[in-house]
């Protein structure tokens, strides 16, 4: 149980642990913070004579897999005006043919080896960089590693850049351009010149200009390629389960043959000009609901790999966290003058950081909102943060560092490769896990409140200041002017502020006394899962399995059928209140604020959920805090916290948000879709004033007790790093003591299926700022349940994804991508579903929709063996290491108790995909699509006069 002096005990123990760990040597080790941070020796690094850099590391999480990355120090800022968007276009072309792998043969080869485009093969382009990756590569497939190395080599300097492929890709990128044109994109375009003070950053949005994309001469793309894709601007990162010596030899042999570019153009970083006087910009958009008033102070930043800089980064992290907590507390106390706010210091573009102060405001309270946020910054400058707040934050961070260190061996190869990106592109070092652990556990306790508080004044400046205001585009809205913002700042600085009052430390326990324990009355071994089932004297069942794939993590989930399906229609708004507001209520005797204080340094946490057909309680903790976790589970059932003040505050904010709702393209589409999809279902309620009016605090409480009052109706699954001797008495005490009535078990209710029958089509025409067509095809059908049916549904979806990518994205150039989502549900009855959606040129919507239906007909009669092989191999690869995750065992146990099916049995999955044929998929597709209910929705822009 949590004792009254818990916080200090926990913190002292952590400090003692730090001090005991080699006091004499470690204290000396970090005395001189001017030392460079040592680079993790687990990485094998080098620079070839042609300038290419490599980073190689062994990692066996997961086993028999490797990741291959190439980092290009090349981005949109290097483009000329006639190349606007071509850095990104070039990234696309890297997948459309190299000298070794012409056309689509590269993707075809990779997918035939189980490596899926979009998931395992991908890339991105930014303003300063382009990064490609091939991930989760099976290293035990003969020749595949060699092929991946050749692909990296080809991405360096052997792109094919075929004219026909370039022309085909113009359509794809034009549709990506269309997809990106949302309100945030439009606002950034309006504000860029001021935000970036006229630098090239304002002119290069990565996706580029549509006129350039559609009309550039292929020679222009090749010129950009030959100018910038070169070895002195490239690095490869390769991490996985292989021999590092052998991999290094292959890299040196293969990549050294690439010639260095002579008379290379200089690659300089963009300089954003200083502005001595503040700059101001205001912009509006029809899809924006509230006003945001923001002040940023820009600072040049050079990467510093000293230990002092690393320590300073922790100081900044503490500042950002403490000021965030303070703003949240001000809002939580009610009557805040702002709707939301944020103050933080962090990265901007390469070579720059910014201090950002922003307030989310009602249209009529812009000055008041910004003033309230700025007041909290000024209060920190004048009085600083309290020691109590900082000590709680430090304690929690030390606990998190302990957890991270314990699980360091579970770091994925992709994560190691992402660290390499920062090392190569930004010049930062990668410290070893051991160094990071030793450094942070010694240095964090030494950070003072004065240091953290000083961040605010250190990064405030009179130069490089930008004021920006964004808000809704509608009549009658006037935005706060620069002079008004500056008057607010002057007023706040001259006001007599009082110190922030940190609430007194909470002294107490989660439970004042242990409940009267129940007993385990029967025990059953589940040998197939290496687990045990306990039945308790109150009727509750507990299923436990030891698993330490994640060191020091214990998870619990208690599940019962019923959920919102058992509530009457008129009670659904109160169920909504429970879902939306429950997180703000705290637990037991403590409100949310006091609860966060008493749990300082404690890893235990818990939550509840009321879904459509299920209610559940979830919890997690480190083994040292497992009793606290069990206490929290007990309190979820026996002593939930219903905070009327928090409820009233949430309701008030919900009404205010409704009043601020703007009519936009997005809201019109969403409201129309909701009406179509509900199809008259009385339980599908619109979120409006009537919905809020029908929320009831007392009914909300009653519904919670109805769903969680009977522990005998729940199965408690516990998986993790805790031994049975420790867990058993805790289960008897905290789960066995819950109220339970074995004869009152519940089941979900079937409230009907309102999906429209037959084929229904709808065309929605709405005003749009940027014309875009959207096609949605939703297919539903009932089925007789079998594992083969469920697995085949997944295969159908993946095969269709391949066909759509090849024929609609690549051949037609008609869309950036077609989304295909398949699912199977068994409650209240077995239903199969498939949702297909894409954006496109409105003129092409009907044509492309016809191509989708053509593929749906094709899959019923002609599944290609090559497509099936790609899909099945990828499914096998993804399933290969599933048992090495704690989450798998939690799911496997729940599945067994839910349906009686054993996920470990080959017949559950492996036997099906091993034996499945093209005829099986064709037959499954016929069963699903023939006589299915289809809802087709086409959204088009309103024609302009």
């Amino acid at each position: 149980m949590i004792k009254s002096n818990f916080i200090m005990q926990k913190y002292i123990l952590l400090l003692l642990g730090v001090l005991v760990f080699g006091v004499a040597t470690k204290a000396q080790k970090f005395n001189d913070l001017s030392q460079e941070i040592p680079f993790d020796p687990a990485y094998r690094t080098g620079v070839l004579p042609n300038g290419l850099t490599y980073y190689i590391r062994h990692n066996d999480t997961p086993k028999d897999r490797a990741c291959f990355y190439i980092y290009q120090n090349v981005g949109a800022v290097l483009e000329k005006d006639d190349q606007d968007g071509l850095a990104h276009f070039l990234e696309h072309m890297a997948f459309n043919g190299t000298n070794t792998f012409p056309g689509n043969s590269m993707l075809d080869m990779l997918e035939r080896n189980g490596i899926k485009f979009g998931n395992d093969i991908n890339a991105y382009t930014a303003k300063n960089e382009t990064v490609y990756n091939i991930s989760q590569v099976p290293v035990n497939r003969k020749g595949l590693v060699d092929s991946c190395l050749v692909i990296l080599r080809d991405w360096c300097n052997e792109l094919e850049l075929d004219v026909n492929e370039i022309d085909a890709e113009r359509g794809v990128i034009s549709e990506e351009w269309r997809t990106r044109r949302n309100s945030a994109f439009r606002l950034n375009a309006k504000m860029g010149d001021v935000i970036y003070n006229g630098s090239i950053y304002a002119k290069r949005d990565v996706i580029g200009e549509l006129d350039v994309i559609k009309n550039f001469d292929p020679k222009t793309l090749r010129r950009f390629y030959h100018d910038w894709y070169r070895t002195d601007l490239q690095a490869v990162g390769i991490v996985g389960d292989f021999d590092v010596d052998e991999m290094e030899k292959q890299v040196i042999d293969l990549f050294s043959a690439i010639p260095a570019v002579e008379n290379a153009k200089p690659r300089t970083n963009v300089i954003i000009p200083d502005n001595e006087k503040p700059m101001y910009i205001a912009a509006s958009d029809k899809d924006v609901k509230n006003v945001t008033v923001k002040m940023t102070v820009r600072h040049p930043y050079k990467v510093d790999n000293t230990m002092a800089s690393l320590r300073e980064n922790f100081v900044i992290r503490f500042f950002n966290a403490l000021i965030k907590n303070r703003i949240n507390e001000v809002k939580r106390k009610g009557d805040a003058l702002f709707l939301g706010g944020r103050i933080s210091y962090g990265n901007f573009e390469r070579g720059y950081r910014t201090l950002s102060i922003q307030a989310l405001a009602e249209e009529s309270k812009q000055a008041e909102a910004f003033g309230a946020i700025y007041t909290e910054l000024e209060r920190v400058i004048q009085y600083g943060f309290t020691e109590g707040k900082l000590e709680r934050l430090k304690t929690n961070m030390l606990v998190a560092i302990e957890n991270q260190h314990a699980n360091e061996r579970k770091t994925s190869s992709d994560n190691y490769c992402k660290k390499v990106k920062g090392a190569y592109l930004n010049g930062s070092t990668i410290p070893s896990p051991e160094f990071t652990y030793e450094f942070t556990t010694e240095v964090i306790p030494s950070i003072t409140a004065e240091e953290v508080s000083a961040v605010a004044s250190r990064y405030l400046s009179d130069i490089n200041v930008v004021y920006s205001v964004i808000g809704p585009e509608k009549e009658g809205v006037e935005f706060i002017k620069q002079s008004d913002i500056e008057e607010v700042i002057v007023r706040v600085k001259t006001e007599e502020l009082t110190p922030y009052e940190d609430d007194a430390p909470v002294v107490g326990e989660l439970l004042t006394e242990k409940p009267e324990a129940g007993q385990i009355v029967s025990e059953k071994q589940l040998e197939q899962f290496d687990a045990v089932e306990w039945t308790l004297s109150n009727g509750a069942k507990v299923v436990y399995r030891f698993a330490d794939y994640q060191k020091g993590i214990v998870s619990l989930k208690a599940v019962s059928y019923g959920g919102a399906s058992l509530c009457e229609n008129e009670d659904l708004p109160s169920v909504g209140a429970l879902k939306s507001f429950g997180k703000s209520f705290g637990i037991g005797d403590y409100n949310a604020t006091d609860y966060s204080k008493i749990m300082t340094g404690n890893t235990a946490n818990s939550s509840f959920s009321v879904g459509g057909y299920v209610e559940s309680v979830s919890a997690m903790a480190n083994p040292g805090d497992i009793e606290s976790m069990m206490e929290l589970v007990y309190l979820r059932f026996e002593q939930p916290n219903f905070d009327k003040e928090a409820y009233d505050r949430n309701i008030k904010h919900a009404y205010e948000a409704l009043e601020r709702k703007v009519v936009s393209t997005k809201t019109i589409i969403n409201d129309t879709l909701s009406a179509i999809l509900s199809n008259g279902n009385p339980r599908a309620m619109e979120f409006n004033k009537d919905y809020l009016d029908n929320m009831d605090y007392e009914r909300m409480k009653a519904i919670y007790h109805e769903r969680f009052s009977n522990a005998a109706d729940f199965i408690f699954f516990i998986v993790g790093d805790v031994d049975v001797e420790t867990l058993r008495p805790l289960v008897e005490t905290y789960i066995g003591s819950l109220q339970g009535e074995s004869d009152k078990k519940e089941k979900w209710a079937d409230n009907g299926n309102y999906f429209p029958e037959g084929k229904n089509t709808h065309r929605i025409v709405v005003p749009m700022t940027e014309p875009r067509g959207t096609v949605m095809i939703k297919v539903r059908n009932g089925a007789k349940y079998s594992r083969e049916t469920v697995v085949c549904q997944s295969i159908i979806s993946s095969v269709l994804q391949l066909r759509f990518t090849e024929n609609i994205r690549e051949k037609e150039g008609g869309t950036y991508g077609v989304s295909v989502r398949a699912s199977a549900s068994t409650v209240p009855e077995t239903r199969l579903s498939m949702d297909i959606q894409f954006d496109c040129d409105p003129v092409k919507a009907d044509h492309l929709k016809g191509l989708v239906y053509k593929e749906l007909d094709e899959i019923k009669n002609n599944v290609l063996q090559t497509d099936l092989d790609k899909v099945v191999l990828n499914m096998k690869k993804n399933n290969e290491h599933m048992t090495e995750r704690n989450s798998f065992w939690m799911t496997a146990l729940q599945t067994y108790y839910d349906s009686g099916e054993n996920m470990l049995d080959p017949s559950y999955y492996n036997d099906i995909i091993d034996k499945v044929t093209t005829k099986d998929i064709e037959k499954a597709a016929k069963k699903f699509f023939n006589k299915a209910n289809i809802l087709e929705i086409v959204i088009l822009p309103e024609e302009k006069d």
Side-chain angles (χ1 to χ4, degrees):
M1 300 176 73
I2 296 180
K3 305 301 180 186
S4 59
N5 60 349
F6 168 78
I7 295 174
M8 287 308 299
Q9 282 185 345
K10 190 91 177 183
Y11 189 58
I12 290 168
L13 285 173
L14 284 165
L15 288 178
L16 285 174
V18 170
L19 293 172
V20 168
F21 192 86
V23 174
T25 59
K26 202 164 103 173
Q28 293 174 358
K29 189 172 185 179
F30 301 123
N31 269 349
D32 181 7
L33 294 180
S34 66
Q35 297 178 83
E36 289 280 317
I37 301 166
F39 204 98
D40 186 352
Y43 288 92
R44 184 76 57 82
T45 65
V47 180
L48 301 179
N50 58 16
L52 183 136
T53 307
Y54 64 82
Y55 303 80
I56 303 170
R57 178 183 180 127
H58 178 266
N59 182 50
D60 58 5
T61 302
K63 287 186 67 62
D64 301 323
R65 297 284 186 270
C67 296
F68 298 80
Y69 278 66
I70 183 166
Y71 316 92
Q72 311 264 9
N73 189 11
V74 178
V77 296
L78 299 176
E79 299 163 345
K80 302 296 184 184
D81 286 347
D82 65 340
Q83 299 170 327
D84 192 5
L86 297 196
H88 171 252
F89 203 109
L90 189 59
E91 172 224 310
H92 277 238
M93 292 307 301
F95 297 99
N96 289 336
T98 71
N99 291 339
T100 310
F101 297 95
N104 69 349
S105 61
M106 175 203 301
L107 294 179
D108 182 63
M109 181 276 295
L110 291 171
E111 291 194 315
R112 281 189 284 105
N113 283 279
I115 307 168
K116 187 175 181 179
F117 179 56
N119 286 16
D120 306 322
I121 320 158
N122 219 323
Y124 75 86
T125 305
K127 293 184 179 182
N128 276 297
E129 68 207 47
T130 306
V131 178
Y132 302 83
N133 70 285
I134 312 171
S135 299
Q136 301 302 312
V137 175
V139 297
N140 47 10
R141 291 184 71 83
K142 187 176 180 180
L144 185 55
V145 167
D146 295 341
S147 295
C148 289
L149 287 171
V150 169
I151 291 171
L152 292 190
R153 190 277 316 275
D154 283 7
W155 281 342
C156 283
N157 79 325
E158 296 201 22
L159 298 190
E160 197 173 32
L161 299 181
D162 177 77
V163 172
N164 292 328
E165 293 288 350
I166 289 172
D167 288 341
E169 199 67 20
R170 293 182 197 269
V172 174
I173 296 181
S174 295
E175 293 312 314
E176 184 178 359
W177 180 95
R178 191 188 311 278
T179 299
R180 290 196 189 189
R181 251 53 186 179
N182 55 23
S183 61
F185 194 95
R186 293 191 293 268
L187 287 166
N188 286 337
K190 293 176 182 179
M191 302 169 71
D193 270 337
V194 171
I195 300 298
Y196 295 111
N197 197 15
S199 70
I200 193 67
Y201 282 128
K203 299 175 176 63
R204 299 291 179 256
D205 59 17
V206 179
I207 191 66
E209 286 297 323
L210 195 57
D211 184 59
V212 174
I213 293 167
K214 288 184 174 181
N215 300 305
F216 71 85
D217 188 319
K219 293 178 182 176
T220 308
L221 180 66
R222 294 192 186 102
R223 187 176 76 242
F224 183 88
Y225 172 53
H226 291 301
D227 282 346
W228 299 114
Y229 270 44
R230 60 188 206 230
T231 49
D232 62 308
L233 299 178
Q234 294 168 332
V236 295
I238 306 168
V239 179
D241 193 8
F242 49 70
D243 183 279
V244 170
D245 291 333
E246 178 59 31
M247 183 63 72
E248 182 181 36
K249 182 178 183 302
Q250 286 184 268
V251 167
I252 292 172
D253 291 345
L254 185 62
F255 289 87
S256 292
I258 302 173
V261 172
E262 296 182 3
N263 302 316
K265 290 189 174 184
R267 169 52 162 120
T268 57
N269 288 331
V270 175
I271 303 297
I272 302 175
D274 288 340
N275 50 288
E276 295 294 330
K277 295 181 179 180
M279 301 176 71
Y280 170 88
I281 183 71
S284 61
D285 192 271
K286 291 178 179 178
D287 289 341
V288 173
K289 182 166 65 173
N290 301 306
V291 178
T292 300
V293 183
K294 185 175 182 180
M295 171 186 176
T296 58
V297 185
R298 189 176 62 253
H299 295 273
Y301 172 74
K302 184 177 181 181
V303 172
D304 179 355
N305 287 319
T306 65
M307 296 181 189
S309 178
L310 181 58
R311 187 181 187 278
E312 172 66 7
N313 286 339
F314 279 103
V315 171
I316 291 170
R317 284 176 65 180
F318 286 140
F319 170 82
N320 288 341
L322 288 173
I323 196 70
K324 177 182 178 181
N325 290 341
R326 180 171 292 190
I327 290 171
N328 289 341
E329 283 184 10
V330 171
K331 186 177 180 183
R332 195 158 52 232
K333 289 175 180 177
D335 299 322
L337 295 173
F338 50 83
L339 301 174
R342 186 168 182 262
I343 300 172
S344 64
Y345 183 76
N347 292 330
F348 185 43
E349 297 291 354
R350 183 184 290 183
Y352 293 92
R353 287 181 170 180
T354 58
L355 176 66
S356 173
I357 305 114
Q358 68 181 55
L360 189 66
E362 295 180 34
E363 295 167 14
S364 61
K365 296 181 179 178
Q366 298 173 45
E368 293 89 339
F370 184 76
I373 295 295
Y374 201 93
T375 294
E376 296 312 318
L377 181 68
E378 184 64 26
R379 202 187 308 275
V380 171
I381 292 172
Q382 292 185 23
Y383 299 105
F385 294 110
T386 64
E387 288 289 348
K389 289 280 189 185
L390 178 60
E391 291 307 310
R392 288 194 292 272
L393 187 59
K394 285 157 66 172
T395 300
N396 287 335
M397 183 170 284
L398 286 168
V399 171
I401 288 165
E402 292 283 348
N403 295 341
Q404 179 182 336
H405 187 64
N407 285 284
E408 186 62 41
R409 284 186 55 81
K410 299 299 180 183
T411 301
S412 71
S413 295
D414 272 306
N415 281 337
Y416 281 126
C417 285
K418 287 170 185 175
K419 293 180 181 181
V420 169
K421 183 188 82 169
Y424 177 66
L425 295 173
N426 300 320
S428 58
T429 194
I430 305 176
S432 70
E434 293 75 19
F435 171 88
T436 300
Y437 176 71
E438 292 180 21
F439 182 86
T440 52
T441 51
E442 177 179 321
V443 167
I444 284 177
S446 72
I447 293 173
T448 65
E450 288 76 16
E451 289 178 277
V452 177
S453 304
V455 169
S457 54
R458 185 185 315 145
Y459 293 113
L460 271 178
S461 172
D462 293 330
I463 65 169
N464 295 332
V465 174
V466 175
Y467 302 118
S468 58
V469 185
I470 62 172
E473 184 180 303
K474 62 181 184 180
E475 286 186 22
V477 179
E478 291 188 12
F479 295 137
I480 186 171
K481 301 291 191 293
Q482 176 177 337
S483 58
D484 299 325
I485 297 173
E486 291 173 338
E487 284 179 13
V488 168
I489 294 172
V490 171
R491 174 180 58 77
V492 171
K493 287 184 174 181
T494 55
E495 280 182 348
E496 287 191 21
L497 301 179
T498 57
Y500 188 84
E501 291 188 12
D502 186 13
D503 296 334
V506 178
V507 177
E509 304 171 359
L510 277 175
L511 286 172
T512 54
E513 58 183 36
K514 286 188 178 183
E516 184 176 342
Q519 292 182 324
I520 294 174
V521 295
S522 68
E523 181 174 305
K524 181 169 71 173
Q525 297 297 320
L526 305 173
E527 294 182 0
Q528 64 271 50
F529 299 103
D530 194 18
V532 63
E533 174 195 285
W534 294 321
T535 301
L536 298 167
S537 50
N538 59 359
K541 274 189 168 55
V542 175
V543 181
Y544 156 70
R545 186 188 193 279
F546 175 82
D548 63 351
Y549 304 106
Q550 291 172 273
K551 290 288 184 184
I553 299 293
V554 182
S555 301
L556 177 149
K557 188 169 185 180
V559 181
S560 170
Y561 274 118
S565 74
L566 299 182
C567 297
E568 299 297 329
N569 292 0
E570 59 266 26
D571 287 335
L572 293 179
S574 298
V575 175
L578 189 59
K579 293 178 180 179
S580 299
F581 306 157
K583 292 179 180 179
S584 64
F585 287 162
I587 193 168
D589 293 330
Y590 302 101
N591 62 27
T593 301
D594 290 344
Y595 170 69
S596 67
K597 291 181 179 181
I598 200 170
M599 296 300 288
T600 299
N602 194 312
T603 61
N605 62 76
S606 71
S607 62
F608 72 89
S609 173
V610 179
Y613 299 101
V614 174
E615 59 266 2
S616 64
V617 169
S618 299
M620 184 177 289
N622 287 1
D625 296 319
I626 190 171
E627 184 163 10
S628 297
M629 181 188 83
M630 300 299 282
E631 289 179 307
L632 290 174
V633 171
Y634 175 87
L635 289 170
R636 288 292 177 198
F637 283 87
E638 297 295 331
Q639 198 179 337
N641 181 294
F642 292 98
D643 186 333
K644 186 63 164 62
E645 281 188 19
Y647 176 88
D648 290 341
R649 195 162 53 244
N650 283 315
I651 282 283
K652 177 175 177 287
H653 291 158
Y655 276 115
E656 291 170 347
L658 273 180
E659 292 175 3
R660 295 191 303 273
K661 183 178 179 180
V662 297
V663 177
S664 66
T665 299
K666 186 175 181 179
T667 59
I668 293 171
I669 291 173
N670 287 343
D671 291 346
T672 307
L673 287 176
S674 295
I676 292 171
L677 293 171
S678 63
N679 194 33
N681 184 352
R683 297 176 71 82
M685 297 179 178
E686 182 182 354
F687 186 83
N688 54 21
K689 185 177 181 299
D690 288 341
Y691 186 89
L692 292 177
D693 289 345
N694 286 306
M695 287 183 176
D696 183 87
Y697 176 74
E698 293 300 331
R699 185 64 191 125
M700 179 192 70
K701 289 171 58 177
I703 290 168
Y704 184 94
H705 289 298
E706 289 168 9
R707 302 271 52 80
F708 294 99
S709 62
N710 182 14
D713 202 23
F714 284 77
I715 300 177
F716 295 75
F717 299 96
I718 303 174
V719 173
D721 191 6
V722 58
D723 60 74
V724 66
E725 291 78 12
T726 300
L727 182 64
R728 186 182 182 109
L730 296 176
V731 164
E732 291 182 316
T733 299
Y734 295 107
I735 299 179
S737 59
L738 299 174
Q739 297 180 57
E741 298 179 75
S742 298
D743 58 344
K744 290 188 177 180
K745 294 187 177 182
E746 295 177 323
K747 189 183 177 184
W748 42 261
D750 185 350
N751 291 299
N753 176 15
Y754 284 81
F755 192 87
E757 295 183 356
K759 183 174 182 179
N760 291 265
T761 60
H762 299 267
R763 292 177 86 83
I764 305 171
V765 178
V766 294
M768 295 185 187
T769 305
E770 303 287 350
R772 177 193 306 171
T774 299
V775 176
M776 301 178 182
I777 300 173
K778 297 179 178 293
V779 189
R780 303 288 186 271
N781 209 341
K784 183 178 179 181
Y785 177 79
S786 71
R787 280 302 303 162
E788 289 82 359
T789 297
V790 173
V791 173
C792 285
Q793 181 75 354
S794 178
I795 293 174
I796 291 169
S797 170
S798 296
V799 170
L800 283 172
Q801 189 76 72
L802 287 173
R803 307 313 305 153
F804 292 151
T805 298
E806 180 177 339
N807 293 324
I808 298 179
R809 172 184 158 123
E810 298 299 333
K811 287 184 180 178
E812 282 284 328
T815 179
Y816 181 51
V818 181
S819 167
V820 187
R821 295 181 180 177
S823 63
S825 60
T826 57
V827 176
E829 61 186 8
T830 303
R831 294 174 185 160
L832 303 179
S833 69
M834 189 170 295
D835 290 345
I836 301 166
Q837 181 173 334
F838 61 90
D839 293 334
C840 64
D841 184 334
V843 175
K844 294 183 177 180
D846 288 323
H847 170 64
L848 297 177
K849 182 186 68 175
L851 295 182
V852 168
Y853 280 113
K854 182 179 178 181
E855 291 295 345
L856 299 188
D857 286 337
E858 184 72 10
I859 199 171
K860 294 187 289 186
N861 302 296
N862 184 27
V863 174
L864 300 178
Q865 186 65 50
T866 52
D867 287 345
L868 180 60
D869 289 345
K870 291 175 182 177
V871 168
V872 166
L873 189 55
N874 182 259
M875 294 171 73
K876 286 181 177 179
K877 187 193 75 170
N878 292 341
N879 210 42
E880 194 171 314
H881 295 286
M882 63 179 183
T883 59
E884 297 171 8
R885 297 187 292 269
N886 287 6
S887 58
F888 166 81
W889 293 102
M890 181 69 81
T891 301
L893 291 171
Q894 289 182 59
T895 299
Y896 180 71
Y897 277 82
D898 200 32
S899 65
E901 295 176 313
N902 182 356
M903 290 177 64
L904 295 171
D905 194 307
S907 65
Y908 184 83
Y909 191 79
N910 289 338
D911 285 353
I912 298 171
I913 60 176
D914 282 341
K915 298 174 183 176
V916 70
T917 67
T918 57
K919 295 300 179 185
D920 293 330
I921 301 306
E922 292 165 5
K923 181 179 178 181
K926 288 187 179 78
K927 276 189 176 181
F928 175 60
F929 288 113
N930 290 345
K931 298 182 180 180
N933 298 313
I934 299 176
L935 180 58
E936 175 193 299
I937 302 169
V938 179
I939 303 169
L940 298 170
E942 188 176 77
E943 291 187 10
K944 296 180 180 179
D945 295 335

